[in-house]
Amino acid sequence: MIFSAFVAAAAASLFVADSSVKLVEDSSEIGVRSALDENALTWVEVEADGLQVTLSGTAPTEALRFKALSVAGSVVDAARVIDIMEVETVAAIAPPRFSAEVLRNTAGLSIIGLIPQTTDREAMVEGFAAMSELPVTDLLETADYPAPDGWEDALAYAIEAIEDLPRAKVSVTADRITITAMADSAQAKAAMEDRLIRTAPPELALSLDISAPRPVITPFTLRFVKDEGGARFDACSADTEATKIRILEAASKAGLKTPALCTIGMGVPSKNWAAAVEAAIAALADLGSGSVTFSNADVTLAAAEGTAQSDFDRVTGELENGLPEVFALYSIFPDTSEPSVGPPEFVATLSPEGQVQLRGRISDEKMRDVADSFARAKFGSGNVYTAARIVADLPLNWSARVLTGIEALAFLNNGAVTVTPEAITLSGKSGNQNASAEVAQLMASKLGQEGVFDISIRYAEELDPVAAVPSPEECEVAISEIVSSTKIVFEPGSATIDSSALSTMDSIADVLQKCGSIRLEVQGHTDSQGREEMNLALSQARAESVLNELRARRVLTGSFVAKGYGETQPIADNDSDEGREANRRIAFQLIRPEPSVPQGDSALESIAESSDIGANTEATDAEGQNDE
């Protein structure tokens, strides 16, 4: 009984102790949990173990974790609180977007933006200064983050491009260049765009917004001729698009059959320019043949030989009365009298090789030396042969007419000019589409209103240094014609070009060497047989193999990029042998600049204000083997 009493007492003690522990745990846990809930810390898990209180869970921030510990410590002794809480992982701070704005005008160059600290800032500023030959204002800031891929290439391209952009804003990021610029003329705009597109890195997105203001034409010149060869413009100028349409319609009524260039520019002498030109062209059509020349407000109507005097008098009288105010008419009727002696004549010829001969009559020894020196300055000191003889009693303005003839000859690639007292006649070939207009402008300004001249210049595209270089689109077409007849063939399951396709590579290389620097993507494609990863790797290897073959043939491939697309871009059904063969191919595609986003006139206005201060071409793999 005594033993039983001790056992019962022990059991009672254990029960009481256990109940006490549970009471302490429950009260601690409930108290801490209630306090945490009152402070909106519901994410905390609370567990009591004897006198210890364990806090767990994931805290949104480190500050909230400390707050949970403080709240729990206000309910129970802080020494009893066990902290096993975690804090949410904070995403790494994203690097800033690096960019630079380069603004160039006639006064200097400014650079604004944020660049990586690893960029050689001093070298960059020196590069811009060397290319622009202008003072550079550095307003850049730096950040200690690694430079993104493509940043250095984009910056190097911007430094190179700024040399050809006298008034421009260039926006540089790692993957894009945006250029807003002003060119002096439409021709300069086209040449500027061509250079920028050809020299841009292939991985870089390029956006161009280049404008060309209307040129200032002085003197404001127009010359319309109608002879046995038909009607034509030697020069045509208009102040607006509407005026241009009116002039061309008047010329069409007068017999113009072929398309004509008419330059829209500034400098028109009168708002009635279109009306005056229409009246003069109609008068020439009434005469039947001859020429009409405008040099600002001076109008010269020259009749052809064989024109009846009565018709000439009637037409010139009507034109004099019909011309708007400001315009003055000078009419020329051909002299049909037979001279007793041969007229004075000076002839200069220019051969296709650039050799010039001066023959005919010159007033004196001094004038012969002047003509010889002037010709050597125009054509090169070693290319001129002078055989002119000195003759007295030449017309007073003979020397000026000779020099004008030599200057006009310089607009040709080959041809001849004949100077007589009555007229200056120039004929030949030129690689400049505007040669006739430029010569007519020269003649009108040098000879005056009474001057008579005849221009017969034929444009030869093969002599045009710009047109002689095929455009990138023409290069695509040329490559397409090659691969349509012969295919690029690879050894089965390999990136090695088959020997039978090497002649095709030779032909493609010949075309690309004539094209110069163009942005081109050499694409590799496969069919869907085999694993997708292996097809992607094989297409990349084949594209790089083609690129290496082009390099071996001395093709400049700095603006080319090789890219494999695997089976992702089929052009035929992979369920047939023919379809799979079509899908196994190499494609050549131009990398074209992205269209510029319209920005209104704000960008160009900022530049102006600061101035005051492919189609796919495919070569298929003829193998019938699996790409894998």
Side-chain angles (χ1 to χ4, degrees):
M1 291 181 63
I2 296 173
F3 176 78
S4 297
F6 274 107
V7 171
S13 299
L14 290 173
F15 175 76
V16 172
D18 183 66
S19 298
S20 299
V21 169
K22 288 185 177 294
L23 179 62
V24 171
E25 288 179 348
D26 291 343
S27 62
S28 298
E29 184 174 332
I30 293 172
V32 171
R33 188 182 300 277
S34 298
L36 292 171
D37 290 343
E38 290 175 1
N39 285 273
L41 300 172
T42 56
W43 50 268
V44 183
E45 299 291 336
V46 181
E47 183 180 356
D49 183 11
L51 295 178
Q52 291 183 335
V53 178
T54 303
L55 304 183
S56 63
T58 302
T61 65
E62 187 70 24
L64 290 176
R65 186 180 75 88
F66 279 109
K67 184 177 180 181
L69 289 172
S70 299
V71 171
S74 67
V75 177
V76 299
D77 187 357
R80 294 167 52 192
V81 178
I82 306 300
D83 176 18
I84 61 171
M85 293 181 291
E86 297 179 351
V87 179
E88 284 187 4
T89 303
V90 179
I93 300 176
R97 181 177 179 271
F98 292 112
S99 65
E101 299 282 342
V102 184
L103 183 64
R104 178 181 176 181
N105 54 51
T106 55
L109 187 145
S110 300
I111 315 172
I112 308 170
L114 179 67
I115 64 173
Q117 195 167 346
T118 55
T119 299
D120 191 337
R121 183 171 178 172
E122 183 177 350
M124 180 187 67
V125 172
E126 290 178 354
F128 278 117
M131 285 296 181
S132 64
E133 298 182 351
L134 291 170
V136 177
T137 302
D138 180 0
L139 302 175
L140 292 168
E141 295 183 0
T142 61
D144 190 11
Y145 286 87
D149 293 339
W151 170 259
E152 295 297 339
D153 289 341
L155 195 59
Y157 173 72
I159 293 174
E160 181 181 353
I162 204 69
E163 181 180 14
D164 297 324
L165 302 172
R167 297 178 299 278
K169 183 181 75 172
V170 181
S171 302
V172 184
T173 62
D175 58 354
R176 177 183 297 274
I177 291 281
T178 302
I179 297 176
T180 304
M182 296 178 65
D184 293 330
S185 64
Q187 293 83 359
K189 173 187 174 182
M192 186 182 294
E193 290 176 336
D194 183 68
R195 285 194 303 271
L196 292 172
I197 292 172
R198 287 177 179 271
T199 57
E203 301 85 359
L204 189 66
L206 180 63
S207 178
L208 300 178
D209 184 9
I210 300 176
S211 65
R214 292 188 300 167
V216 177
I217 304 174
T218 177
F220 212 76
T221 308
L222 182 142
R223 178 175 170 83
F224 186 70
V225 179
K226 190 172 183 181
D227 54 22
E228 63 276 2
R232 70 179 187 275
F233 278 106
D234 284 341
C236 180
S237 303
D239 59 329
T240 65
E241 185 67 28
T243 299
K244 172 184 174 179
I245 294 173
R246 290 177 60 181
I247 291 173
L248 294 180
E249 287 178 349
S252 179
K253 292 178 182 178
L256 180 67
K257 303 296 183 184
T258 57
L261 296 175
C262 197
T263 304
I264 298 177
M266 297 182 290
V268 65
S270 167
K271 64 180 181 179
N272 295 317
W273 175 262
V277 172
E278 287 174 329
I281 291 177
L284 180 61
D286 196 0
L287 281 179
S289 60
S291 66
V292 60
T293 304
F294 282 76
S295 178
N296 290 329
D298 296 328
V299 186
T300 302
L301 178 66
E305 290 188 8
T307 302
Q309 182 71 56
S310 58
D311 291 340
F312 178 77
D313 294 340
R314 173 181 60 81
V315 170
T316 54
E318 292 174 351
L319 182 57
E320 281 182 339
N321 293 320
L323 283 174
E325 292 184 5
V326 178
F327 293 92
L329 176 66
Y330 179 78
S331 55
I332 300 175
F333 188 76
D335 184 6
T336 58
S337 59
E338 292 293 333
S340 56
V341 295
E345 185 178 80
F346 174 85
V347 179
T349 59
L350 172 62
S351 72
E353 296 76 24
Q355 300 297 312
V356 176
Q357 292 190 3
L358 307 181
R359 301 180 182 275
R361 304 182 184 184
I362 291 291
S363 58
D364 54 42
E365 184 71 30
K366 182 179 180 180
M367 182 56 206
R368 181 163 62 184
D369 292 340
V370 170
D372 181 80
S373 298
F374 187 60
R376 292 180 187 277
K378 288 288 184 181
F379 303 99
S381 59
N383 297 325
V384 178
Y385 171 74
T386 301
R389 64 191 184 94
I390 298 173
V391 176
D393 300 327
L394 292 174
L396 293 177
N397 62 345
W398 187 255
S399 298
R401 295 172 69 84
V402 166
L403 295 180
T404 300
I406 295 174
E407 186 173 357
L409 185 64
F411 285 88
L412 305 182
N413 290 86
N414 66 279
V417 61
T418 301
V419 180
T420 66
E422 294 78 23
I424 297 179
T425 303
L426 178 72
S427 62
K429 298 179 181 179
S430 174
N432 179 5
Q433 285 185 305
N434 297 320
S436 293
E438 293 172 3
V439 170
Q441 187 173 338
L442 170 71
M443 296 283 196
S445 62
K446 296 289 187 181
L447 302 181
Q449 187 178 11
E450 299 180 6
V452 178
F453 54 91
D454 182 51
I455 303 171
S456 178
I457 301 176
R458 183 169 68 85
Y459 170 68
E461 185 174 351
E462 63 273 13
L463 299 176
D464 190 336
V466 176
V469 178
S471 68
E473 290 76 14
E474 290 173 335
C475 293
E476 275 191 320
V477 173
I479 296 174
S480 177
E481 292 174 351
I482 293 171
V483 298
S484 63
S485 57
T486 56
K487 299 178 180 180
I488 296 180
V489 182
F490 293 89
E491 295 181 1
S494 167
T496 303
I497 297 177
D498 191 84
S499 58
S500 62
L502 296 180
S503 59
T504 302
M505 295 302 305
D506 292 337
S507 300
I508 295 174
D510 289 340
V511 171
L512 291 174
Q513 285 171 344
K514 297 174 183 176
C515 293
S517 177
I518 61 174
R519 303 176 74 201
L520 189 68
E521 184 176 77
V522 182
Q523 302 176 344
H525 300 274
T526 68
D527 62 25
S528 62
Q529 292 189 335
R531 294 200 303 273
E532 182 177 349
E533 297 80 4
M534 295 195 67
N535 286 336
L536 183 62
L538 179 60
S539 64
Q540 180 67 35
R542 287 185 169 181
E544 292 176 354
S545 179
V546 171
L547 197 59
N548 289 333
E549 286 293 333
L550 294 175
R551 291 192 185 104
R553 287 161 175 77
R554 298 183 180 276
V555 176
L556 299 177
T557 60
S559 57
F560 295 3
V561 61
K563 186 171 183 179
Y565 289 90
E567 60 190 63
T568 61
Q569 297 184 6
I571 59 172
D573 191 351
N574 276 306
D575 293 335
S576 65
D577 291 340
E578 293 79 7
R580 288 191 293 272
E581 181 179 344
N583 289 331
R584 292 190 296 269
R585 68 196 189 277
I586 293 292
F588 297 85
Q589 184 174 19
L590 286 176
I591 303 174
R592 291 175 170 83
E594 297 182 1
S596 58
V597 178
Q599 304 179 39
D601 298 328
S602 58
L604 295 179
E605 287 173 358
S606 66
I607 297 173
E609 290 171 1
S610 63
S611 294
D612 296 332
I613 50 174
N616 280 339
T617 300
E618 298 177 353
T620 60
D621 172 12
E623 295 295 333
Q625 309 294 330
N626 288 354
D627 285 304
E628 183 174 342

